[in-house]
RNA sequence: GCCCUCGUGGUGAAAUUGGUAGACACAAAGGACUUAAAAUCCUUGCCCUUUUGGGAGUGCCAGUUCGAGUCUGGCCGAGGGCACCA
């Protein structure tokens, strides 16, 4: 008997697929299309298990759709701009381009080892000129349309590295590389006007019916729509300041107004710039840092001004104006009215500065003397102590009625605010797409003219500089155009821009004149199924949705707006973590165990290893498993099978060597079964009963596959594959007609082929079938049976199972139960009050 | 603090959506084969009963229903997202 040699078989089919371009996709209007896309990888060096999981899930779907005769687009590319290349290049004295290209070639090979149904002719790489030059076109188009602008903004500035840091690069207020205290610095930056589309980005979420609710609600929170009104407060104490505008969602609490708070960056702060105390206060505020954490636990501090604000509903009432550290300049108007009784932040502030606390809302179960003490009351109820607002129900009528009054009296107006901020895309880095802008001698920005496009990133740049290396490339930075001197923009684009339209490029990877070809995207877009990690739930997906709107803005030819019709977010791959006695992390291959409980360092029985919780695989915790090694040991099909087993794809999965071995063994067992079946395809016997049983089982299995494929329950597919094996293995004890066996077996091979494609194709070939058959249809007539097992419940409790005829009616079944030996005993002599009958499934008899 | 998701054996999990709870697999224990081990195969898996059988049981407490893992309300616990957003 032959052992199944995965090494030979997998290589053989991968070569054939590559040579024949089996998975090449082409435009074909006569065929239904299916665009299956997985988030493309960053070429960091080697693929990791997360990639294996992501691409295996996509591959199963893709192959399934191919067998259902869809025209499938399943491409792959590289998100190849970004910081790691720059850092790695600095460490290894390599050019980022060389480093990146080397990684791509290694990883491409590794992906091929997995046997993915990728159309490699469509491969793209975002760091190539052929890609980013089109991105510059999009940038300039957006600039023309007014969707790109330049503005001063606060950033996290690392004074040692002289660079801007992303929020996640700031740890405890210090730069992650330099360790220097991060400063808040104002810098001119380019912005995409994503907030222009806030309303549309929010409402269209409701139409994305195949997106996980979790992702939709995360985006909803991020966009953060709130309904309220803007109010102008008259100001006294400075003749140049007549009024200050505030945004509020609770205008109905205006009678509880006890102070007005401003952001330290509010325009009015200019009147205080000579005040040493104010400068000290502002410094104190910036010390609390820009990180979210420091804000969350930070104490509320304020700076009292000589100004007073007047309550628009009662001009006799005047309250102090403060600068306060908890007011943000980039939300609303950078100014809030404080109502301590009904807002906890305002309450904290009021207690600290001894401000008035006036209760204006009472809960329904309290009387009009209800008083808030030191905890703000923010629930519903009724307005009190508020003159003409008294009696309004909170919140269902109080807010809208108050806004109406405010509008009537021309004190302000209704206003909807969004939390979503414009997208800052400038990065002070070398390895990214150059921003196609140049500045004249007065510093005014101009789009780079067409005949100077694309702006090509210079090569062989010295990276050992402070700040952005491009600033030092003088012959690139300084240009002359039509006799005028210009300086180039040296900032490059955030790499999220690169990934905001790559799915369009896959439709027309060779289009020279523009980023995409209209006919191609009309046919292929939107992506039918997008698959990737949940860590991109907000930014990448939101930016891509924005980009489609921005490209389509003022462009009639562009028909769709949502790039991803279906979205699936897969879970992470986890592994136990290990530490030695000193607390150093250990790799899984450095530890060993004899009993599965106590671990020690390999070959050193006395060096005890502490086993930590299973966590997402990461290099820093050393709990990674190298996919290439695993493929070498067990084969691609085994890895694919294991990575889909046990856990549903959207949940985290535990890597286990034992599970891996089990999957490997299962394929070996399938091969033995295959050999056995192959030996029997010429058997001539007739056995109707067995044949019916076989047909029924196979059709039920196909049915189960269809159901679970649709729902991404790939773990259940694997379970049902095991059941199929167990069934066939024992079924072969029967005598059976070889052709009927073969017919059904081919269906099983077809439905398992998306999961373990090398194995399936090899089996087909050994049976003389040269092309994988189309996905089998379920024969509903074959699932029906003459005999049904009815569950018999008595007074709601299961008492047994009884065999009966298909579609039997209730009365006949009751008769049968009454006459049954053991079940009849229970009923005998009792009165049947009522019975509930579920056809072909169950009967519940109520007796007394 | 706000929002979302999830609680089922020793473990990962099924349960076609209100109708046989624990499919399938991992681990464990016992057994068969073997001189032995590995591999393979079989059995077991809560409580009571020698067996036949009976009972409890899906985080906890109530409710709806002939019937609840599934629906409703409350509580407890875990994970994730956002977080001074006015």
């Amino acid at each position: 008997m032959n052992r199944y040699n995965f090494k030979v078989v997998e290589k053989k089919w991968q070569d054939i697929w590559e040579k024949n371009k089996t998975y090449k996709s082409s435009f074909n209007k006569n065929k239904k299309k299916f665009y299956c896309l997985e988030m493309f990888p960053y070429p960091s060096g080697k693929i990791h298990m997360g990639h294996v999981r992501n691409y295996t899930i996509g591959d199963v779907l893709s192959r399934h759709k191919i067998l259902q005769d869809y025209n499938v687009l399943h491409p792959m590319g590289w998100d190849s701009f970004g910081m790691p290349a720059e850092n790695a290049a600095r460490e290894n004295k390599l050019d980022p381009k060389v480093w990146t290209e080397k990684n791509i070639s290694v990883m491409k090979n590794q992906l091929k080892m997995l046997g993915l149904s990728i159309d490699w002719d469509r491969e793209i790489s975002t760091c190539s000129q052929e890609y980013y030059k089109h991105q510059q076109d999009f940038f300039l188009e957006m600039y023309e349309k007014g969707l790109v602008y330049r503005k001063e903004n606060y950033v996290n500035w690392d004074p040692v590295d002289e660079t801007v840091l992303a929020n996640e690069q700031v740890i405890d207020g210090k730069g992650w590389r330099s360790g220097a205290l991060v400063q808040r610095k104002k810098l001119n930056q380019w912005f995409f006007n994503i907030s222009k589309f806030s309303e549309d980005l929010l409402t269209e979420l409701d139409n994305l019916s195949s997106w996980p609710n979790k992702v939709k609600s995360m985006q909803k929170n991020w966009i953060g729509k709130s309904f309220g009104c803007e109010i102008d407060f008259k100001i006294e104490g400075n003749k140049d300041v007549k009024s200050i505008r505030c945004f509020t969602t609770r205008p109905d609490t205006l009678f509880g107004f006890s102070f007005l708070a401003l952001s330290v960056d509010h325009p009015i702060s200019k009147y205080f710039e000579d005040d040493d105390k104010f400068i000290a206060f502002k410094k104190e505020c910036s010390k609390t840092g820009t990180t979210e954490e420091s804000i969350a636990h930070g104490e509320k501090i304020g700076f009292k001004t000589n100004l007073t604000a007047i309550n628009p509903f009662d001009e006799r009432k005047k309250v102090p104006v403060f600068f306060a550290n908890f007011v943000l300049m980039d939300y609303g108007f950078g100014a809030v009215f404080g109502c301590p009784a009904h807002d906890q932040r305002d309450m904290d502030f009021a207690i600290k500065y001894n401000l008035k606390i006036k209760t204006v809302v009472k809960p329904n179960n309290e009387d009009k003397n209800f008083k808030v003490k030191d905890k703000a009351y923010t629930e519903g109820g009724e307005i009190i102590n508020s003159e003409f607002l008294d009696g309004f129900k909170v919140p269902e009528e109080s807010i809208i009625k108050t806004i109406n009054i405010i509008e009537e009296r021309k004190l302000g107006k209704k206003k909807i605010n969004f939390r979503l901020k414009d997208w800052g895309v400038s990065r002070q880095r070398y390895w990214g797409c150059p921003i196609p802008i140049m500045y004249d001698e007065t510093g005014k920005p101009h789009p780079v003219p067409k005949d100077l496009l694309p702006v090509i990133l210079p090569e062989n740049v010295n990276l050992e500089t402070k700040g952005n290396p491009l600033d030092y490339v003088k012959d690139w930075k300084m240009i002359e155009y039509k006799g005028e001197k210009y300086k180039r923009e040296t900032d490059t684009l955030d790499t999220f821009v690169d990934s905001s339209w790559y799915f369009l490029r896959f439709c027309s990877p060779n289009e020279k004149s523009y980023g995409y070809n209209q006919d191609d995207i009309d046919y292929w877009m939107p992506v039918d199924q997008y698959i990737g990690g949940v860590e991109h739930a907000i930014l990448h997906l939101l930016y891509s949705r924005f980009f489609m709107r921005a490209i389509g803005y003022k462009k009639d030819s562009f028909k769709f707006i949502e790039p991803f019709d279906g979205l699936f977010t897969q879970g992470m791959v986890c592994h136990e973590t290990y530490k030695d006695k000193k607390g150093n992390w250990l790799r899984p291959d450095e530890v060993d165990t004899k009993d599965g409980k106590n671990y020690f360092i390999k070959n050193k029985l006395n060096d005890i290893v502490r086993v930590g919780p299973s966590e997402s695989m990461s290099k820093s915790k050393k709990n990674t498993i190298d996919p290439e090694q695993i493929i070498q040991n067990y084969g691609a099909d085994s890895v694919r099978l294991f990575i889909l087993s046990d856990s549903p794809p959207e949940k985290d999965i535990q890597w286990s060597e034992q599970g891996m071995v089990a999957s490997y063994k299962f394929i070996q067992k399938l091969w033995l079964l295959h050999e056995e079946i192959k030996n029997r395809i010429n058997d001539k016997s007739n056995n109707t009963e067995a044949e019916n049983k076989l047909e029924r089982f196979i059709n039920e299995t196909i049915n189960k596959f269809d159901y679970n494929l649709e729902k991404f329950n790939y773990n259940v597919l694997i379970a049902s594959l095991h059941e199929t094996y167990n069934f066939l293995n024992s079924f072969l004890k029967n005598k059976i007609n070889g052709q009927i066996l073969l017919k059904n077996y081919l269906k099983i091979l077809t439905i398992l082929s998306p999961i373990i494609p090398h194995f399936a194709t090899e089996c087909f070939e050994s049976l003389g079938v040269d092309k994988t058959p189309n996905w089998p249809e379920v024969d509903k007539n074959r699932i029906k049976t003459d005999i049904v097992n009815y569950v018999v419940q008595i007074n709601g409790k299961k008492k047994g199972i009884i065999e009966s005829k298909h579609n039997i009616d209730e009365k006949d079944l009751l008769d049968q139960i009454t006459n049954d030996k053991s079940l009849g005993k229970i009923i005998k002599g009792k009165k049947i009050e009522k019975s509930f009958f579920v056809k072909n499934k169950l009967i519940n008899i109520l007796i007394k």
Side-chain angles (χ1 to χ4, degrees):
Chain A
M1 219 177 274
N2 291 330
R3 239 174 119 77
Y4 175 70
N5 188 337
F6 71 83
K7 279 200 172 139
V8 175
V9 172
E10 292 183 353
K11 182 80 176 61
K12 168 180 148 192
W13 289 107
Q14 283 163 19
D15 289 348
I16 290 174
W17 293 335
E18 181 157 3
K19 193 172 137 254
N20 295 347
K21 295 195 186 274
T22 308
Y23 301 107
K24 188 174 170 56
S25 46
S26 49
F27 187 101
N28 179 354
K29 267 225 152 103
N30 301 320
K31 251 179 135 180
K32 261 191 299 179
K33 67 93 184 182
F34 191 90
Y35 188 174
C36 176
L37 183 67
E38 301 104 8
M39 290 179 184
F40 65 164
Y42 178 81
S44 55
K46 287 171 155 193
I47 62 165
H48 54 69
M49 278 302 169
H51 293 129
V52 173
R53 194 172 192 204
N54 192 177
Y55 302 140
T56 301
I57 292 168
D59 200 50
V60 170
L61 177 66
S62 197
R63 288 176 179 274
H64 175 226
K65 292 294 171 186
I66 290 171
L67 297 178
Q68 286 185 319
D69 210 28
Y70 281 88
N71 192 21
V72 171
L73 175 58
H74 187 206
M76 185 59 73
W78 309 96
D79 188 12
S80 47
F81 268 140
M83 257 189 337
E86 221 168 307
N87 296 336
R90 219 171 260 134
E91 276 160 34
N92 308 321
K93 309 251 180 241
L94 268 174
D95 195 75
K97 190 176 175 187
V98 174
W99 183 83
T100 302
E101 281 169 359
K102 192 190 108 220
N103 289 346
I104 288 176
S105 96
V106 169
M107 289 172 74
K108 186 173 172 181
N109 249 330
Q110 292 183 315
L111 289 182
K112 284 187 174 173
M113 289 168 71
L114 276 171
L116 304 174
S117 59
I118 301 281
D119 177 3
W120 285 106
D121 285 357
R122 290 176 185 263
E123 181 180 2
I124 58 177
S125 177
T126 57
C127 73
S128 83
Q129 238 189 79
E130 293 312 305
Y131 184 85
Y132 71 69
K133 71 177 188 188
H134 302 297
Q135 191 159 306
Q136 293 176 350
D137 293 343
F138 289 138
F139 182 94
L140 292 173
E141 272 180 31
M142 284 160 67
Y143 185 78
E144 290 295 308
K145 292 192 277 196
L147 296 174
V148 179
Y149 65 94
R150 213 164 118 85
K151 127 183 140 174
E152 273 209 317
N153 194 48
Y154 285 100
V155 293
N156 302 310
W157 182 256
D158 185 322
V160 171
D161 283 357
E162 291 188 5
T163 189
V164 170
L165 299 175
N167 282 331
E168 54 272 24
Q169 292 167 338
V170 180
I171 299 155
D172 294 332
K174 289 174 190 155
W176 65 307
R177 271 158 79 76
S178 66
L181 259 181
V182 170
Q183 301 170 345
R184 275 179 94 216
K185 192 178 171 181
K186 255 187 176 175
L187 217 63
N188 258 311
Q189 304 248 285
W190 288 99
F191 283 85
F192 284 168
N193 190 4
I194 184 169
S195 63
K196 184 185 180 74
F197 300 97
S198 300
E199 183 70 52
D200 191 48
L201 287 166
L202 183 72
T203 51
E204 284 297 315
L205 280 174
D206 290 334
N207 295 328
L208 295 171
S209 56
S210 305
W211 277 40
N213 286 330
K214 184 172 133 190
V215 174
K216 287 196 274 190
S217 83
M218 279 162 74
Q219 291 212 358
K220 267 182 197 164
N221 286 338
W222 189 262
I223 295 168
K225 181 179 182 173
S226 48
F227 174 82
C229 74
E230 54 183 57
I231 303 175
D232 291 326
F233 290 84
K234 283 189 189 151
I235 300 296
E236 285 177 356
N238 183 326
K239 58 181 177 348
D240 295 332
V241 182
K242 295 268 174 337
S243 69
I244 291 174
R245 183 167 287 181
C246 295
F247 171 75
T248 178
T249 55
R250 291 301 303 276
D252 54 336
T253 61
L254 200 46
F255 279 97
F257 179 40
S258 77
F259 65 94
L260 197 143
L262 303 171
S263 159
V264 289
D265 301 316
H266 194 278
I268 282 176
S269 67
K270 73 178 177 205
Y271 298 106
F272 296 87
E273 263 159 10
D274 299 332
D275 185 336
D276 289 343
K277 283 183 189 158
F278 178 71
I279 292 166
F281 173 73
K282 198 170 168 178
K283 209 170 184 180
E284 184 67 28
C285 287
S286 74
K287 234 200 262 170
T288 43
T290 44
T291 63
E292 288 149 7
E293 218 187 337
S294 64
I295 292 165
H297 303 294
E299 207 188 339
K300 290 173 183 53
I301 51 174
F303 176 85
K304 193 172 175 188
T305 69
N306 56 333
L307 306 175
T308 49
I310 297 169
N311 190 329
F313 277 167
D314 183 350
E315 304 220 330
R316 291 164 302 176
K317 288 182 180 140
K318 301 178 181 182
V319 302
V321 176
F322 284 81
F323 286 101
N325 66 335
F326 66 90
V327 183
L328 306 168
M329 192 55 226
D330 50 7
Y331 184 79
F333 303 100
V336 299
F337 90 77
C339 174
H342 305 291
D343 182 292
Q344 192 54 47
R345 289 162 311 191
D346 296 347
M347 174 65 88
D348 296 344
F349 193 77
I351 290 172
K352 178 150 184 181
Y353 293 98
N354 212 6
L355 301 164
K356 227 183 173 172
I357 298 166
K358 182 180 171 191
T359 305
V360 292
V361 179
K362 72 165 190 69
N364 287 324
N365 57 359
E366 293 275 352
D367 68 19
K368 292 196 169 144
N369 298 317
F370 173 72
K371 277 223 158 48
V372 169
K373 287 212 177 73
D374 52 3
K375 194 176 175 297
Y377 179 72
T378 54
E379 310 282 298
E382 193 185 314
I383 300 283
I384 52 169
N385 304 326
S386 298
E387 303 182 15
F388 45 88
L389 304 183
D390 279 356
F392 288 174
K393 296 265 167 286
V394 181
E396 53 275 30
E397 57 178 28
S398 62
I399 293 170
I400 188 70
K401 282 191 170 173
T402 309
I403 292 175
N404 289 340
I405 295 170
I406 287 170
E407 287 191 331
E408 270 166 34
R409 299 184 178 194
K410 301 208 164 21
L411 303 168
K413 60 182 183 206
K414 197 188 294 172
K415 166 103 180 159
I416 285 162
N417 237 331
F418 292 94
R419 216 184 61 104
L420 181 64
K421 289 167 197 147
D422 280 343
W423 174 16
V425 291
S426 298
R427 296 291 181 270
Q428 291 68 37
R429 309 207 179 277
Y430 162 65
W431 194 234
C433 171
I435 295 176
I437 292 286
M438 55 193 198
Y439 300 92
D440 62 24
E441 283 175 303
T442 68
K444 191 179 168 234
H446 298 268
V448 171
K450 280 220 160 61
D451 45 328
L452 296 186
L453 287 175
V455 179
I456 295 165
L457 194 63
E459 286 180 33
N460 301 316
V461 163
N462 176 21
L463 298 172
E464 308 285 330
T465 59
K466 277 185 173 182
N468 186 350
L470 284 173
D471 268 331
Y472 301 83
V473 190
K474 292 281 182 276
D475 57 339
W476 177 83
K477 186 176 164 185
M478 305 301 196
I479 50 170
E480 243 188 78
Y481 183 68
K482 295 188 174 163
E484 301 279 333
K485 283 188 175 157
Y486 294 92
K487 267 188 205 166
R488 285 190 193 281
E489 171 64 82
T490 53
D491 285 355
T492 52
L493 287 173
D494 180 4
T495 55
F496 272 118
V497 180
D498 308 340
S499 53
S500 291
W501 65 281
Y502 77 110
F503 42 88
L504 293 182
R505 189 66 191 162
F506 277 135
C507 301
S508 332
N510 300 314
E511 175 64 48
K512 293 259 181 328
S513 61
Y514 197 61
Y516 59 84
N517 167 295
Q518 193 63 47
D519 288 340
D520 286 336
I521 65 166
D522 283 347
Y523 177 65
W524 289 114
M525 288 295 290
V527 173
D528 293 276
Q529 187 64 57
Y530 195 35
I531 305 164
V534 73
E535 65 274 18
H536 294 113
I538 300 176
L539 295 184
H540 164 58
L541 292 169
L542 196 64
Y543 292 156
S544 300
R545 296 180 64 220
F546 157 71
F547 229 76
M548 292 306 93
R549 286 160 173 80
I551 291 176
Y553 187 60
K554 295 186 180 171
K555 194 189 267 181
D556 294 337
S557 57
F558 203 83
K559 286 177 198 134
F560 63 92
I561 38 168
E562 287 298 336
F564 312 119
D565 191 39
L567 175 70
F568 187 87
T569 52
Q570 98 266 3
M572 293 180 297
V573 184
C574 300
H575 195 287
E576 278 178 338
T577 47
Y578 307 105
K579 278 182 181 176
D580 66 14
K581 277 181 274 189
K582 289 178 192 153
N584 302 311
W585 298 104
L586 295 164
R587 292 194 312 272
D589 62 359
E590 290 175 302
V591 306
D592 203 354
T593 178
K594 288 221 150 71
D595 54 7
K597 282 176 198 150
N598 301 300
Y599 287 71
F600 51 88
I601 293 177
K602 222 170 228 176
N603 302 325
K604 290 182 188 168
L605 258 168
N606 296 324
D607 275 349
I608 291 163
V609 170
R610 281 199 356 248
V611 180
S614 185
E615 290 183 71
S616 167
M617 288 187 181
S618 81
K619 277 182 197 156
S620 62
K621 287 175 189 140
K622 290 196 177 177
N623 62 340
T624 56
I625 299 286
D626 177 22
E628 187 170 343
Q629 199 59 52
I630 297 289
I631 295 172
Q632 300 285 1
N633 292 347
Y634 301 104
D637 281 340
S638 301
V639 180
R640 294 167 62 112
L641 187 66
F642 171 68
I643 207 93
L644 298 175
S645 297
D646 294 341
S647 293
E650 70 272 16
K651 283 180 84 175
D652 288 354
I653 189 173
Q654 305 300 318
W655 181 269
S656 105
E657 191 76 17
Q658 279 149 335
M660 188 57 245
V661 171
S663 293
Y664 170 80
K665 284 183 186 164
F666 182 59
I667 288 179
Q668 294 295 340
K669 289 194 326 192
L670 281 177
W671 181 253
L672 296 180
L673 180 76
H674 170 80
E675 298 265 279
E676 167 80 7
I677 290 174
K678 195 179 158 190
N679 287 335
R680 292 184 46 182
I681 56 178
N682 292 318
D683 285 6
K684 288 281 185 278
S685 56
N686 268 320
N687 184 347
T688 317
E689 199 189 322
E691 284 160 16
N692 285 342
K693 201 176 156 197
L694 176 67
E695 293 268 8
R696 190 167 102 218
F697 185 89
I698 300 300
N699 278 288
E700 274 170 355
T701 301
I702 299 168
N703 197 27
K704 221 186 256 183
F705 260 67
D706 287 341
Y707 179 81
N708 288 302
L709 271 165
E710 195 66 33
K711 308 189 87 177
F712 280 97
N713 295 334
Y714 291 174
N715 56 324
V716 187
L717 294 185
I718 310 292
S720 120
L721 217 51
H722 279 110
E723 283 175 310
T724 306
Y725 169 83
N726 293 340
F727 172 83
L728 287 176
N729 203 33
S730 65
F731 181 78
L732 288 177
K733 287 171 193 141
N734 294 299
K735 283 193 169 168
I736 174 133
N737 179 293
Q739 287 305 302
I740 290 177
L741 179 64
L742 177 65
K743 184 185 93 180
N744 283 286
Y745 176 57
L746 289 178
K747 288 183 183 172
I748 293 302
L749 280 181
T750 305
I751 63 175
L752 64 75
S753 71
I755 301 167
I756 43 176
H758 311 88
F759 175 85
T761 319
E762 181 71 11
C763 290
F764 279 124
E765 193 197 46
S766 95
L767 293 168
V769 178
D770 60 357
K771 184 179 174 287
T772 307
N774 269 6
W775 195 261
E777 296 264 335
V778 177
D779 184 345
K780 293 239 162 70
N781 295 321
R782 287 295 190 171
I783 293 182
K784 281 184 200 153
T785 52
D786 296 339
I787 292 176
V788 174
N789 287 326
Y790 270 91
V791 173
V792 180
Q793 296 184 335
I794 289 174
N795 290 339
K797 278 192 178 153
K798 179 185 154 195
K799 290 291 170 186
I801 287 167
I802 194 164
E803 252 187 23
S804 189
K805 276 183 284 184
H806 185 250
N807 280 350
I808 193 172
D809 64 29
E810 185 173 0
K811 197 180 159 294
D812 292 342
L813 183 66
L814 272 173
D815 284 346
Q816 195 189 335
I817 291 167
T818 321
N819 294 327
D820 183 81
K821 255 190 217 157
S822 60
L823 291 169
K825 251 192 283 180
I826 307 173
I827 300 176
K828 209 173 177 184
K830 305 266 171 63
K831 191 184 164 219
I832 297 180
E833 301 250 295
K834 208 173 183 184
S835 65
F836 292 83
F837 179 67
V838 185
K839 209 175 202 180
N840 295 327
K841 208 161 221 169
L842 168 144
I843 186 162
N844 185 8
I845 304 164
L846 304 187
I847 57 172
K848 233 181 191 172

